[in-house]
Amino acid sequence: MIVNVIADLIGPLHGGEMLLTFLATSAVFSAVLIVVLMPLLQRYALARPNARSSHRVPTPQGGGMAVVAAAALPAVILLLLFGTDFKFYWGSGRSLLPILGVFPSVIVLAILGAIDDIRPLPVLPRFLLQGLAVAAVVAPLTFTGNTILPVPAWIEFAILLFAGLWFVNLVNFMDGLDWITVAEMVPITAFIAFIGFAGFGPIRALPSPVAIMAACLCGALIGFAPFNKPVARLFLGDVGSLPIGLLVGWMLLELANAGALAAAILLPLYYLMDATITLFRRLARGEKVWEAHRSHFYQQATNNGYSALAVSAHVFALNILLAGLAAISIASPSLMVQFACVLAGVILVSALLFRFSKPRLEIAR
């Protein structure tokens, strides 16, 4: 009976209406969960400022619990209720196997992050569990014929495992400023949801769970945004940043597998370049790269006269431009156009990183 009611509600909706329905539902769900959880987070999950923090007063963290729950539950419910019988949900006809590793891995990383928020874990077991979670997502995609790279499956698996592990951690590293994760991830998830629901351009259709998950995560982050706006009353915490990194990494992997590798590179390019360049600079200085620090470009920007709001606004605007380049790369099958789009993206991100690395008054002169 419940299945029939939900099917009757969803059935008449067109792609755009369905997209907005998932987005709005997750946004409201996320905001309500945060209001319910806030007293507990204020009591048990305070992030106290230290020399490497961007905040100045103790602030509750753990808002990611609400964001991840509001993003994942709608997709899980649809999968459990409809499975392969819900044609829109899995309209591509592909096996359900690739998605079966996603939700358990999200739960593992959320639990790992929650523990780490309360009491930091040793580096080795933390990375081992992260690696297992990423492997559970990558392996079904790699070993079921859904190859992206022209290499043997085991080599592709190793490459994607390393890339996925790095992406999960860089999302965690970059979540160090009010609204910056919202400014980064809302444009990415909105873009993936749009092209998945609208069937944009000549791209092969994205599996419907990817589009639904993107819409739900986008909505959940929008519901979280009012609580995280500068000056933030709530942080995501590792319980949010780690699983969000895994979910978005999975979406980008599916996007690349659907024939849009250039778009999958362009959409997260700011986070990729900021975190990766910072990593290599710290390695060159002989620093312990797993320890907290304040040398990311967005952190330099706050030291150079930019407010948290200004930094996040710059990142959001850049991501809109990157999404535009991603759309162009999908619309054109030409390798030259796709290369030009990626190059233009690298130039745009490099310009913002340079701007963040210099005092604001010096730039203004």
Side-chain angles (χ1 to χ4, degrees), residues 18-31 34 63-76 78 102-103 106 167 171 181-194 197 208-226 236 239-252 271:
M18 191 175 292
L19 169 61
L20 292 176
T21 299
F22 284 121
L23 192 149
T25 300
S26 291
V28 172
F29 188 19
S30 176
I34 287 172
M65 285 189 289
V67 172
V68 173
L73 282 179
V76 171
L78 286 171
V102 175
F103 295 119
V106 166
F167 191 80
V171 170
T181 298
V182 173
E184 177 73 11
M185 295 305 176
V186 165
I188 293 175
T189 52
F191 181 90
I192 294 174
F194 172 76
F197 278 88
S208 300
V210 181
I212 291 174
M213 191 72 250
C216 291
L217 181 54
C218 183
L221 285 166
I222 291 172
F224 166 74
L236 277 175
V239 67
S241 60
L242 292 176
I244 287 172
L246 182 69
L247 282 171
V248 174
W250 165 66
M251 294 174 200
L252 294 170
Y271 262 30

Side-chain angles (χ1 to χ4, degrees), residues 141-206:
L141 285 164
T142 305
F143 296 114
T144 54
N146 299 298
T147 57
I148 298 171
L149 305 173
V151 296
W154 68 271
I155 295 179
E156 182 177 61
F157 172 75
I159 293 172
L160 294 180
L161 176 62
F162 176 80
L165 188 57
W166 173 230
F167 191 80
V168 165
N169 280 280
L170 74 84
V171 170
N172 183 33
F173 297 156
M174 295 294 291
D175 182 42
L177 192 68
D178 302 346
W179 255 2
I180 193 167
T181 298
V182 173
E184 177 73 11
M185 295 305 176
V186 165
I188 293 175
T189 52
F191 181 90
I192 294 174
F194 172 76
I195 64 170
F197 278 88
F200 174 75
I203 185 175
R204 299 196 302 273
L206 278 175

Side-chain angles (χ1 to χ4, degrees), residues 143-341:
F143 296 114
T144 54
N146 299 298
T147 57
I148 298 171
L149 305 173
V151 296
W154 68 271
I155 295 179
E156 182 177 61
F157 172 75
I159 293 172
L160 294 180
L161 176 62
F162 176 80
L165 188 57
W166 173 230
F167 191 80
V168 165
N169 280 280
L170 74 84
V171 170
N172 183 33
F173 297 156
M174 295 294 291
D175 182 42
L177 192 68
D178 302 346
W179 255 2
I180 193 167
T181 298
V182 173
E184 177 73 11
M185 295 305 176
V186 165
I188 293 175
T189 52
F191 181 90
I192 294 174
F194 172 76
I195 64 170
F197 278 88
F200 174 75
I203 185 175
R204 299 196 302 273
L206 278 175
S208 300
V210 181
I212 291 174
M213 191 72 250
C216 291
L217 181 54
C218 183
L221 285 166
I222 291 172
F224 166 74
F227 302 91
N228 189 241
K229 69 177 182 178
V231 173
R233 291 180 290 147
L234 179 67
F235 300 146
L236 277 175
D238 289 2
V239 67
S241 60
L242 292 176
I244 287 172
L246 182 69
L247 282 171
V248 174
W250 165 66
M251 294 174 200
L252 294 170
L253 185 59
E254 289 280 11
L255 185 62
N257 183 61
L261 179 59
I265 294 171
L266 280 163
L267 290 172
L269 194 57
Y270 171 73
Y271 262 30
L272 288 173
M273 289 183 63
D274 189 325
T276 304
I277 293 172
T278 300
L279 173 68
F280 282 117
R281 290 170 70 176
R282 295 187 69 208
L283 284 171
R285 293 194 293 265
E287 298 179 14
K288 296 178 180 179
V289 295
W290 55 87
E291 293 183 349
H293 61 96
R294 282 192 53 81
S295 53
H296 283 291
F297 287 89
Y298 74 88
Q299 293 169 323
Q300 294 179 45
T302 60
N303 295 333
N304 287 330
Y306 290 84
S307 66
L309 180 59
V311 173
S312 295
H314 278 76
V315 172
F316 183 81
L318 172 64
N319 279 307
I320 297 300
L321 294 176
L322 292 176
L325 290 172
I328 294 171
S329 74
I330 291 175
S332 174
S334 168
L335 290 177
M336 185 65 71
V337 171
Q338 295 183 42
F339 176 79
C341 287

